[in-house]
Amino acid sequence: MDKRKILIDTDTGSDDAVAMLLALRDPSVEVVAVTTVAGNVPLEQATKNALITIHMAGTYAPPVYQGLAKPICSQMQHAFGAHGKDGMGDIGLVPPADMQPKTEHAVDALMRILKQHPAGELELVTLGPTCNIGTLIMRAPDLVKKLRRITVMGGAWMEPGDYWVPPAESNIRNDVESANLILGCGVPVVMVPINVCRGDILTTEEEIEMLTASGPVGKFSVDCNRTLIGFNKQRWGRAVIDPADPVAMAVALCPDCVEEKKDCVMEFETRGRYTRGVMVYDYWNRAGKPINATLITKVSERRYKDYAYNLLRG
């Protein structure tokens, strides 16, 4: 059976790491390349974390390319409070000495890889601010159209987003302009908002114990999220993990996880101290604009956890 070929763009924090583990350990998937971007942590740290995760997956090592260290039009806000200063729980993880990123810039690498593959063969999953992809679209819009699909972890739907700017979600707010470029690039876009990564989808204390005891991969998936667990204990009173990026990866790789979705016209607000990054969407398309996104509004707890935990145990 031919494997699905995907590209992962990541600001590798602890939840990104778990999402990458799912892709690297799914036998039906080939991760062709990983590109890194600043977001949860600065660019160099995000790259180190990607290499650590590839090593811990214990499968194969796709090439890693460093991308943009800052957004196109705004300032970057990191997420040290949720993921730790190193983005991986501050537990002292370092990549093996023989693992290094490639010297080619991420955007150049993506252009080259897209040229080398036929249209419709590659899919892209973005787990952080979309700076690399916005730049790619500006440089090579026709090449981008060769992608089969872009799945974006980003945005907040029908409720406040992240803790530091209630109306928005950090991946989008960190580079709204690039997110809007993706929505207008002519490729099918699947948007996985922060909301569907909470509620019943949360990794419970009992599930955390199960994964910790399941083997080195499961233990790593918990240990790198220690800061996030403590952060959630403070804000919600529960020592849980909200698996934002793993849910987005599951939506991309295991469509059966999706329970509800809506095709819509979407854009993100670019102005205002309190409104920058807010998702604006129209299910009814009153203005008659082209549909440009599929918004995921509900993910099946059972199907997501069956898919994810089966890959993480070990």
PDB file of all heavy atoms in Angstrom, residues 105-118:
ATOM      1  N   HIS A 105      17.377  26.430   3.782  1.00  0.00           N
ATOM      2  CA  HIS A 105      16.286  27.116   4.465  1.00  0.00           C
ATOM      3  C   HIS A 105      14.975  26.373   4.223  1.00  0.00           C
ATOM      4  O   HIS A 105      14.747  25.794   3.145  1.00  0.00           O
ATOM      5  CB  HIS A 105      16.159  28.557   3.974  1.00  0.00           C
ATOM      6  CG  HIS A 105      15.233  29.388   4.789  1.00  0.00           C
ATOM      7  ND1 HIS A 105      13.863  29.364   4.634  1.00  0.00           N
ATOM      8  CD2 HIS A 105      15.481  30.274   5.796  1.00  0.00           C
ATOM      9  CE1 HIS A 105      13.308  30.204   5.496  1.00  0.00           C
ATOM     10  NE2 HIS A 105      14.269  30.765   6.210  1.00  0.00           N
ATOM     11  N   ALA A 106      14.096  26.386   5.219  1.00  0.00           N
ATOM     12  CA  ALA A 106      12.844  25.639   5.133  1.00  0.00           C
ATOM     13  C   ALA A 106      12.026  26.010   3.906  1.00  0.00           C
ATOM     14  O   ALA A 106      11.471  25.131   3.230  1.00  0.00           O
ATOM     15  CB  ALA A 106      12.026  25.866   6.406  1.00  0.00           C
ATOM     16  N   VAL A 107      11.913  27.293   3.605  1.00  0.00           N
ATOM     17  CA  VAL A 107      11.093  27.711   2.462  1.00  0.00           C
ATOM     18  C   VAL A 107      11.706  27.222   1.156  1.00  0.00           C
ATOM     19  O   VAL A 107      10.999  26.722   0.263  1.00  0.00           O
ATOM     20  CB  VAL A 107      10.901  29.235   2.457  1.00  0.00           C
ATOM     21  CG1 VAL A 107      10.106  29.673   1.224  1.00  0.00           C
ATOM     22  CG2 VAL A 107      10.176  29.690   3.731  1.00  0.00           C
ATOM     23  N   ASP A 108      13.017  27.313   1.040  1.00  0.00           N
ATOM     24  CA  ASP A 108      13.682  26.780  -0.153  1.00  0.00           C
ATOM     25  C   ASP A 108      13.491  25.276  -0.266  1.00  0.00           C
ATOM     26  O   ASP A 108      13.275  24.741  -1.368  1.00  0.00           O
ATOM     27  CB  ASP A 108      15.180  27.106  -0.109  1.00  0.00           C
ATOM     28  CG  ASP A 108      15.469  28.589  -0.222  1.00  0.00           C
ATOM     29  OD1 ASP A 108      14.684  29.293  -0.896  1.00  0.00           O
ATOM     30  OD2 ASP A 108      16.462  29.040   0.365  1.00  0.00           O
ATOM     31  N   ALA A 109      13.574  24.590   0.866  1.00  0.00           N
ATOM     32  CA  ALA A 109      13.389  23.138   0.860  1.00  0.00           C
ATOM     33  C   ALA A 109      11.979  22.769   0.433  1.00  0.00           C
ATOM     34  O   ALA A 109      11.775  21.831  -0.355  1.00  0.00           O
ATOM     35  CB  ALA A 109      13.696  22.570   2.242  1.00  0.00           C
ATOM     36  N   LEU A 110      10.981  23.490   0.936  1.00  0.00           N
ATOM     37  CA  LEU A 110       9.602  23.208   0.549  1.00  0.00           C
ATOM     38  C   LEU A 110       9.384  23.430  -0.945  1.00  0.00           C
ATOM     39  O   LEU A 110       8.703  22.637  -1.610  1.00  0.00           O
ATOM     40  CB  LEU A 110       8.650  24.089   1.360  1.00  0.00           C
ATOM     41  CG  LEU A 110       8.513  23.730   2.844  1.00  0.00           C
ATOM     42  CD1 LEU A 110       7.742  24.809   3.587  1.00  0.00           C
ATOM     43  CD2 LEU A 110       7.835  22.373   3.024  1.00  0.00           C
ATOM     44  N   MET A 111       9.979  24.477  -1.489  1.00  0.00           N
ATOM     45  CA  MET A 111       9.867  24.715  -2.927  1.00  0.00           C
ATOM     46  C   MET A 111      10.492  23.564  -3.712  1.00  0.00           C
ATOM     47  O   MET A 111       9.899  23.059  -4.686  1.00  0.00           O
ATOM     48  CB  MET A 111      10.537  26.040  -3.288  1.00  0.00           C
ATOM     49  CG  MET A 111       9.809  27.263  -2.754  1.00  0.00           C
ATOM     50  SD  MET A 111      10.699  28.822  -3.022  1.00  0.00           S
ATOM     51  CE  MET A 111      10.800  28.865  -4.799  1.00  0.00           C
ATOM     52  N   ARG A 112      11.653  23.130  -3.297  1.00  0.00           N
ATOM     53  CA  ARG A 112      12.341  22.037  -3.997  1.00  0.00           C
ATOM     54  C   ARG A 112      11.538  20.742  -3.905  1.00  0.00           C
ATOM     55  O   ARG A 112      11.362  20.024  -4.907  1.00  0.00           O
ATOM     56  CB  ARG A 112      13.730  21.837  -3.394  1.00  0.00           C
ATOM     57  CG  ARG A 112      14.481  20.623  -3.953  1.00  0.00           C
ATOM     58  CD  ARG A 112      15.857  20.482  -3.339  1.00  0.00           C
ATOM     59  NE  ARG A 112      15.836  20.477  -1.889  1.00  0.00           N
ATOM     60  CZ  ARG A 112      15.474  19.442  -1.140  1.00  0.00           C
ATOM     61  NH1 ARG A 112      15.085  18.302  -1.710  1.00  0.00           N
ATOM     62  NH2 ARG A 112      15.492  19.526   0.183  1.00  0.00           N
ATOM     63  N   ILE A 113      11.038  20.438  -2.727  1.00  0.00           N
ATOM     64  CA  ILE A 113      10.289  19.200  -2.522  1.00  0.00           C
ATOM     65  C   ILE A 113       9.002  19.209  -3.348  1.00  0.00           C
ATOM     66  O   ILE A 113       8.635  18.196  -3.965  1.00  0.00           O
ATOM     67  CB  ILE A 113       9.993  19.003  -1.022  1.00  0.00           C
ATOM     68  CG1 ILE A 113      11.303  18.715  -0.264  1.00  0.00           C
ATOM     69  CG2 ILE A 113       8.995  17.877  -0.803  1.00  0.00           C
ATOM     70  CD1 ILE A 113      11.180  18.815   1.244  1.00  0.00           C
ATOM     71  N   LEU A 114       8.321  20.337  -3.377  1.00  0.00           N
ATOM     72  CA  LEU A 114       7.099  20.421  -4.173  1.00  0.00           C
ATOM     73  C   LEU A 114       7.389  20.238  -5.661  1.00  0.00           C
ATOM     74  O   LEU A 114       6.604  19.600  -6.382  1.00  0.00           O
ATOM     75  CB  LEU A 114       6.409  21.766  -3.923  1.00  0.00           C
ATOM     76  CG  LEU A 114       5.664  21.877  -2.590  1.00  0.00           C
ATOM     77  CD1 LEU A 114       5.268  23.316  -2.314  1.00  0.00           C
ATOM     78  CD2 LEU A 114       4.429  20.969  -2.580  1.00  0.00           C
ATOM     79  N   LYS A 115       8.500  20.756  -6.127  1.00  0.00           N
ATOM     80  CA  LYS A 115       8.877  20.564  -7.530  1.00  0.00           C
ATOM     81  C   LYS A 115       9.131  19.091  -7.847  1.00  0.00           C
ATOM     82  O   LYS A 115       8.875  18.632  -8.963  1.00  0.00           O
ATOM     83  CB  LYS A 115      10.136  21.376  -7.848  1.00  0.00           C
ATOM     84  CG  LYS A 115       9.926  22.873  -7.907  1.00  0.00           C
ATOM     85  CD  LYS A 115      11.251  23.600  -8.134  1.00  0.00           C
ATOM     86  CE  LYS A 115      11.072  25.110  -8.136  1.00  0.00           C
ATOM     87  NZ  LYS A 115      12.365  25.831  -8.273  1.00  0.00           N
ATOM     88  N   GLN A 116       9.632  18.351  -6.857  1.00  0.00           N
ATOM     89  CA  GLN A 116      10.020  16.959  -7.065  1.00  0.00           C
ATOM     90  C   GLN A 116       8.846  15.985  -7.011  1.00  0.00           C
ATOM     91  O   GLN A 116       9.008  14.818  -7.376  1.00  0.00           O
ATOM     92  CB  GLN A 116      11.056  16.550  -6.020  1.00  0.00           C
ATOM     93  CG  GLN A 116      12.401  17.255  -6.169  1.00  0.00           C
ATOM     94  CD  GLN A 116      13.320  17.005  -4.996  1.00  0.00           C
ATOM     95  OE1 GLN A 116      12.888  16.535  -3.929  1.00  0.00           O
ATOM     96  NE2 GLN A 116      14.601  17.317  -5.165  1.00  0.00           N
ATOM     97  N   HIS A 117       7.685  16.423  -6.556  1.00  0.00           N
ATOM     98  CA  HIS A 117       6.541  15.522  -6.394  1.00  0.00           C
ATOM     99  C   HIS A 117       5.397  15.950  -7.300  1.00  0.00           C
ATOM    100  O   HIS A 117       5.191  17.146  -7.545  1.00  0.00           O
ATOM    101  CB  HIS A 117       6.067  15.523  -4.939  1.00  0.00           C
ATOM    102  CG  HIS A 117       6.999  14.812  -4.007  1.00  0.00           C
ATOM    103  ND1 HIS A 117       8.161  15.378  -3.540  1.00  0.00           N
ATOM    104  CD2 HIS A 117       6.933  13.567  -3.455  1.00  0.00           C
ATOM    105  CE1 HIS A 117       8.779  14.531  -2.744  1.00  0.00           C
ATOM    106  NE2 HIS A 117       8.067  13.427  -2.677  1.00  0.00           N
ATOM    107  N   PRO A 118       4.636  14.987  -7.778  1.00  0.00           N
ATOM    108  CA  PRO A 118       3.482  15.328  -8.621  1.00  0.00           C
ATOM    109  C   PRO A 118       2.393  16.033  -7.826  1.00  0.00           C
ATOM    110  O   PRO A 118       2.309  15.886  -6.604  1.00  0.00           O
ATOM    111  CB  PRO A 118       3.004  13.962  -9.131  1.00  0.00           C
ATOM    112  CG  PRO A 118       3.539  12.969  -8.160  1.00  0.00           C
ATOM    113  CD  PRO A 118       4.814  13.527  -7.641  1.00  0.00           C
TER     114      PRO A 118
END
